Amino acid sequence: MVSVASISPVPALANPAPRKPNRPENLTVNLASTEEWLVSSLSLSRAPFEVDGLYAIAIKTGFVHRDRVLSLLLLRYPSPSSSLLVLRSLFSSPDSPFPFNSLLSSFSRSGSHLPALLAYSILRSLSVPIDRSTLPPVLRSATFLSSIAVGLDAHSLALKTGFASRLPVATALVRFYCSLGLPALARNIFDRCHPRDFILWNTTIAGLVQCHELEAARNLFDQMPPTDRNIASWNTMVDMYCNKLGDVVEARKMFDEIPTRDSVSWNVMISGYARMGDCSSARALFDSMFERDVVSWNAIISCYVQNGFFSGALELFRMMLREDKIKPDEVTITSVLQACTHMGALNLGQWLHVYIRRQRIPMDLQVTTALVDMYGRCGSIEDAQRVFAQAKKRDSFLCGTMVDILAMHGMADEAFRVFDFMKSHGMKPNDVTIVGLLKACGHIGLVDDGLELFNTMEEKFGLSPKLEHYGCMVDLLGKAGQLNDALELIMGMPMEPSPVLWSSLLSACKIHGESVLAEKVGYHLLELEPSSSGNYILLSNVYSNARRFEEAAMVRKLMKEKDVVKKPGCSSIEVGNQIHEFLAGDRDHPRSREIYEMLQMVATRVEQAGYNYKQYLSSEEEGGRQGRMHHSEKLALAFGLMSTEDGSTIRIMKNLRVCDDCHLFLKLASAVYGRKVVVRDCHRFHHFVNGLCSCLDYW
DNA sequence: CTAGGGTTAG
């Protein structure tokens, strides 16, 4: 069956925001590098006179207001009183009394948490009298930075001064202790505080939920005087049932009980359904909303994405643009980009990239990561690298994504370069980073590097190997022909080996013609996963490779007996704004006749170039030449050749691994037609150029 | 005080 998933027409970019006047590029660069220079100089210098000089520069350039610069200045100054001078300099009128409190609260409010805490510590060590409005912002920043020391100091000061019973202070303390996972202490503060306002009630309830004290939270909600109970209290409860208990039925009951619902209530409930995978209930609720805000749209779009309904998500996005009431924001874009990633919709992804720039949607880390991932997984590694190189900020998440997609493209050197970048910038590699690197090793056969990394990840990075890492290693060793090492690794694992590991070993056996080991592994696997078609196919292919045709037929028979249906190969290609899908041998595409004619022509030309369908006896099709000739990627290729511009790159996405036959076919076709063909299979990318593949036939 | 978003083995 062919479905032509419509993901467009993409609306024209109607109202591009006016372009900012072009700022001279080098000015930006210079200023940015001045800030970097200040930061690194401040980190290095110790002598007071040097700090004085840097301080003067920071004031002149205005960078004294930047968090990192300010924090370092406060840290570098040797005495509290000299740091006080730095703080004073932030205010334009030196004659007026120094407004500590507004300073602190403006730090805290603007997210400059570290400077806020440093300023507070300086004031404390100077014994400057502190009034009650100082404490909430400080506690806020202490909460944000999980700074136990400052929080405790603020608490003890609050007790000494009697401010602890003031509502804003008590509320801030409750929040602080809950964020540390100490609900008992928070509860203690709550119990002693009289009278209470609804903010204290709500904060405490939400804090208890956060600490998984769900019953206590519910009890408190029930005890809350009905006059204090506001919409936030209700929403917290609905959210608790949705997200902490996964009980949408109870959540819905409460939702229906809410006297007057606001948009948050609706959005909480929608995302509750989303989390449970109940897209239709989420959609029903969404459709019945009176007024949707951007969060409602984001909730429903991400619901579709997270539950695998990618074209539905794009459909909703189009609807959102068409209604033109709510402007998509960076959250919307992140979700929509993910949908593109999964569908391989590069054109739409590119359109979104332009949209981001024209609409000045903030390119935060999440958007950047989603964009890099989209380009990488849609086959345009160059664009992914460009976005990564131009990113203003990079965290280990973004770097991990970059490592992973470079690995998928078989670019191990570049992946390790990103890894070096991470280490040199103080980022801790996590599980995913290591998985990416091991994948990179596996894709080009770097056995020693992979082993080295795997064996030292624990001592070097404190990461104990997980199932995924073992999976990478089995694949790495197996593909390299070290089948016994791979087997030993599986046998010695501290955890239960998943079926995937065995099937990975089995496919390594297939590559290396190890039919004896394959037999053992294969039947073990069939016991573990009797309904997974891939294992039968794999084992049967190993047999026919070894010319043990009877046994191969037996495996096929076994598969039939168990009613296991072969998972059909499926390839898709984006042409214009549509994704065209092809299953092996199917004729449902509207232009099917032309496609098959085209394929016939391609085959003739490719055969002249040396393709011979008999070359791979192992190929799983009983259908012989015809079966293989109609593999989905060949259909997609034929369609791509006839419906895209001469010389342009053809990008194909496939759900299964490319078979040997198609691999050869695509190599030759790339040469014959002078086209770059990029194929994403379920493991990695193949870039076919001029008769060669980027995987070097190692896959 | 309450709601929406980023990477993971074959």
Side-chain angles (χ1 to χ4, degrees):
Chain A
M1 254 173 303
V2 171
S3 70
V4 180
S6 173
I7 54 169
S8 75
V10 176
L13 294 174
N15 304 312
R19 277 193 100 74
K20 263 191 207 164
N22 277 338
R23 232 187 309 156
E25 200 95 299
N26 51 3
L27 177 67
T28 323
V29 170
N30 283 339
L31 281 178
S33 59
T34 303
E35 187 184 357
E36 287 305 321
W37 175 79
L38 268 172
V39 167
S40 61
S41 309
L42 278 167
S43 316
L44 295 173
S45 37
R46 299 265 185 269
F49 69 90
E50 283 180 311
V51 182
D52 279 340
L54 294 167
Y55 172 41
I57 294 170
I59 299 249
K60 267 211 178 108
T61 55
F63 283 122
V64 68
H65 290 280
R66 296 297 178 89
D67 283 6
R68 290 188 304 166
V69 177
L70 178 57
S71 303
L72 282 166
L73 276 170
L74 295 180
L75 277 174
R76 284 287 166 257
Y77 268 98
S79 71
S81 49
S82 52
S83 289
L84 198 58
L85 289 175
V86 177
L87 293 176
R88 267 187 206 284
S89 71
L90 294 174
F91 286 83
S92 42
S93 51
D95 302 332
S96 62
F98 188 48
F100 298 121
N101 296 325
S102 62
L103 175 79
L104 279 172
S105 80
S106 82
F107 276 165
S108 180
R109 237 201 337 261
S110 63
S112 303
H113 298 295
L114 193 54
L117 294 194
L118 288 164
Y120 173 74
S121 303
I122 290 161
L123 299 186
R124 287 287 280 147
S125 65
L126 289 173
S127 307
V128 174
I130 287 173
D131 79 20
R132 63 178 184 242
S133 59
T134 309
L135 289 172
V138 169
L139 279 162
R140 202 186 118 103
S141 290
T143 305
F144 188 86
L145 294 174
S146 307
S147 173
I148 302 176
V150 176
L152 292 179
D153 181 76
H155 190 182
S156 84
L157 182 64
L159 290 171
K160 263 186 235 156
T161 49
F163 296 149
S165 56
R166 309 293 307 201
L167 275 168
V169 177
T171 308
L173 283 167
V174 164
R175 203 175 13 250
F176 170 69
Y177 284 117
C178 286
S179 79
L180 293 179
L182 299 166
L185 292 177
R187 188 58 196 262
N188 198 298
I189 291 158
F190 173 84
D191 288 340
R192 287 155 186 261
C193 189
H194 292 286
R196 302 167 185 143
D197 65 355
F198 69 93
I199 297 180
L200 180 61
W201 276 99
N202 285 345
T203 306
T204 311
I205 294 172
L208 291 173
V209 172
Q210 191 193 337
C211 296
H212 287 266
E213 298 276 334
L214 306 184
E215 267 196 50
R218 176 71 209 238
N219 286 337
L220 219 55
F221 174 82
D222 290 336
Q223 285 167 33
M224 193 173 175
T227 42
D228 278 356
R229 218 178 265 162
N230 73 347
I231 187 65
S233 343
W234 283 97
N235 293 340
T236 305
M237 280 297 105
V238 176
D239 185 50
M240 177 181 91
Y241 280 105
C242 286
N243 294 328
K244 291 288 191 299
L245 290 158
D247 186 349
V248 271
V249 178
E250 192 57 36
R252 183 58 188 258
K253 251 187 226 158
M254 289 210 87
F255 175 82
D256 290 332
E257 261 179 63
I258 303 178
T260 45
R261 288 174 277 271
D262 66 359
S263 72
V264 179
S265 327
W266 289 85
N267 297 339
V268 168
M269 199 60 228
I270 290 174
S271 64
Y273 285 126
R275 217 167 297 259
M276 300 308 290
D278 187 351
C279 282
S280 51
S281 299
R283 183 60 189 269
L285 211 60
F286 176 81
D287 286 339
S288 64
M289 275 184 86
F290 185 64
E291 229 178 76
R292 304 162 185 148
D293 58 16
V294 67
V295 180
S296 327
W297 282 100
N298 294 341
I300 192 68
I301 290 174
S302 90
C303 171
Y304 274 58
V305 171
Q306 267 150 25
N307 293 290
F309 300 114
F310 306 117
S311 51
L314 298 183
E315 193 59 41
L316 279 160
F317 178 61
R318 281 182 50 220
M319 216 164 108
M320 182 179 186
L321 294 177
R322 212 168 336 123
E323 279 189 17
D324 202 24
K325 272 166 73 179
I326 305 291
K327 193 179 167 274
D329 66 3
E330 64 274 25
V331 180
T332 326
I333 299 299
T334 307
S335 291
V336 179
L337 277 170
Q338 279 183 83
C340 293
T341 305
H342 284 278
M343 299 186 62
L346 180 63
N347 293 346
L348 185 58
Q350 281 166 333
W351 183 89
L352 282 165
H353 194 175
V354 175
Y355 184 86
I356 292 168
R357 285 197 284 243
R358 291 225 195 138
Q359 301 290 323
R360 312 212 170 281
I361 294 193
M363 265 268 241
D364 61 15
L365 275 167
Q366 275 112 312
V367 171
T368 310
T369 308
L371 197 58
V372 164
D373 197 43
M374 184 281 295
Y375 276 129
R377 279 176 212 279
C378 290
S380 184
I381 188 71
E382 303 84 4
D383 286 312
Q385 285 178 300
R386 199 168 307 131
V387 174
F388 183 76
Q390 289 166 356
K392 292 207 182 61
K393 265 189 175 173
R394 301 185 190 96
D395 67 354
S396 58
F397 228 99
L398 175 58
C399 292
T401 305
M402 198 61 217
V403 167
D404 190 63
I405 61 172
L406 285 167
M408 281 186 77
H409 285 269
M411 297 161 75
D413 287 352
E414 285 83 348
F416 275 97
R417 219 173 295 147
V418 173
F419 186 49
D420 290 337
F421 171 85
M422 289 178 74
K423 288 188 290 190
S424 64
H425 285 74
M427 284 179 231
K428 282 223 161 75
N430 58 18
D431 290 343
V432 184
T433 325
I434 307 293
V435 167
L437 292 168
L438 292 177
K439 261 204 281 192
C441 294
H443 286 155
I444 59 168
L446 294 172
V447 179
D448 294 341
D449 300 66
L451 273 171
E452 156 83 14
L453 185 62
F454 181 74
N455 290 329
T456 58
M457 59 187 279
E458 182 119 43
E459 61 179 90
K460 277 194 188 157
F461 312 113
L463 300 164
S464 53
K466 294 203 308 187
L467 197 57
E468 288 88 341
H469 302 105
Y470 279 95
C472 293
M473 290 313 288
V474 170
D475 184 55
L476 170 63
L477 293 168
K479 267 200 301 214
Q482 306 186 17
L483 295 163
N484 287 323
D485 296 334
L487 180 63
E488 254 171 50
L489 190 68
I490 297 184
M491 302 305 268
M493 279 171 59
M495 67 286 266
E496 188 65 26
S498 68
V500 194
L501 291 191
W502 292 112
S503 77
S504 166
L505 182 59
L506 180 58
S507 63
C509 290
K510 188 202 153 193
I511 295 172
H512 295 285
E514 279 283 344
S515 64
V516 183
L517 179 58
E519 195 164 31
K520 284 187 206 149
V521 174
Y523 279 104
H524 177 61
L525 198 51
L526 294 191
E527 254 170 57
L528 283 179
E529 284 188 320
S531 54
S532 160
S533 65
N535 301 331
Y536 293 88
I537 308 277
L538 213 46
L539 181 58
S540 134
N541 283 344
V542 174
Y543 279 131
S544 39
N545 257 0
R547 310 198 144 261
R548 294 162 68 175
F549 297 113
E550 276 171 33
E551 282 135 309
M554 277 238 310
V555 176
R556 300 263 170 188
K557 211 178 123 206
L558 190 65
M559 181 172 161
K560 240 181 202 156
E561 280 167 11
K562 303 225 165 169
D563 270 337
V564 179
V565 198
K566 189 177 162 190
K567 187 175 171 188
C570 175
S571 297
S572 65
I573 178 168
E574 186 188 34
V575 172
N577 293 313
Q578 282 191 322
I579 304 282
H580 301 257
E581 277 185 1
F582 298 91
L583 296 192
D586 88 53
R587 292 180 184 269
D588 290 356
H589 193 278
R591 296 175 66 187
S592 185
R593 225 174 52 90
E594 288 170 76
I595 293 169
Y596 277 87
E597 281 167 14
M598 181 69 191
L599 183 55
Q600 187 52 54
M601 267 161 48
V602 179
T604 310
R605 291 190 57 182
V606 167
E607 269 160 19
Q608 284 163 2
Y611 166 78
N612 175 0
Y613 78 94
K614 284 185 183 146
Q615 185 157 351
Y616 296 102
L617 279 170
S618 71
S619 190
E620 65 267 23
E621 301 304 322
E622 306 89 37
R625 183 177 194 278
Q626 175 140 336
R628 274 180 268 163
M629 189 49 72
H630 297 166
H631 275 179
S632 62
E633 54 270 55
K634 292 200 184 86
L635 293 173
L637 174 74
F639 179 66
L641 283 171
M642 65 190 230
S643 54
T644 58
E645 222 174 283
D646 262 0
S648 63
T649 302
I650 293 180
R651 294 167 208 276
I652 297 171
M653 310 285 154
K654 187 177 182 199
N655 65 338
L656 305 173
R657 190 177 173 276
V658 186
C659 76
D660 298 314
D661 186 71
C662 286
H663 197 263
L664 175 61
F665 193 93
L666 290 162
K667 274 201 288 191
L668 295 171
S670 75
V672 169
Y673 288 90
R675 291 282 200 115
K676 186 172 172 189
V677 183
V678 179
V679 178
R680 176 175 91 185
D681 74 8
C682 59
H683 299 150
R684 58 162 303 153
F685 274 97
H686 301 266
H687 297 251
F688 298 96
V689 181
N690 202 19
L692 296 175
C693 179
S694 60
C695 75
L696 304 172
D697 300 339
Y698 187 85
W699 89 104

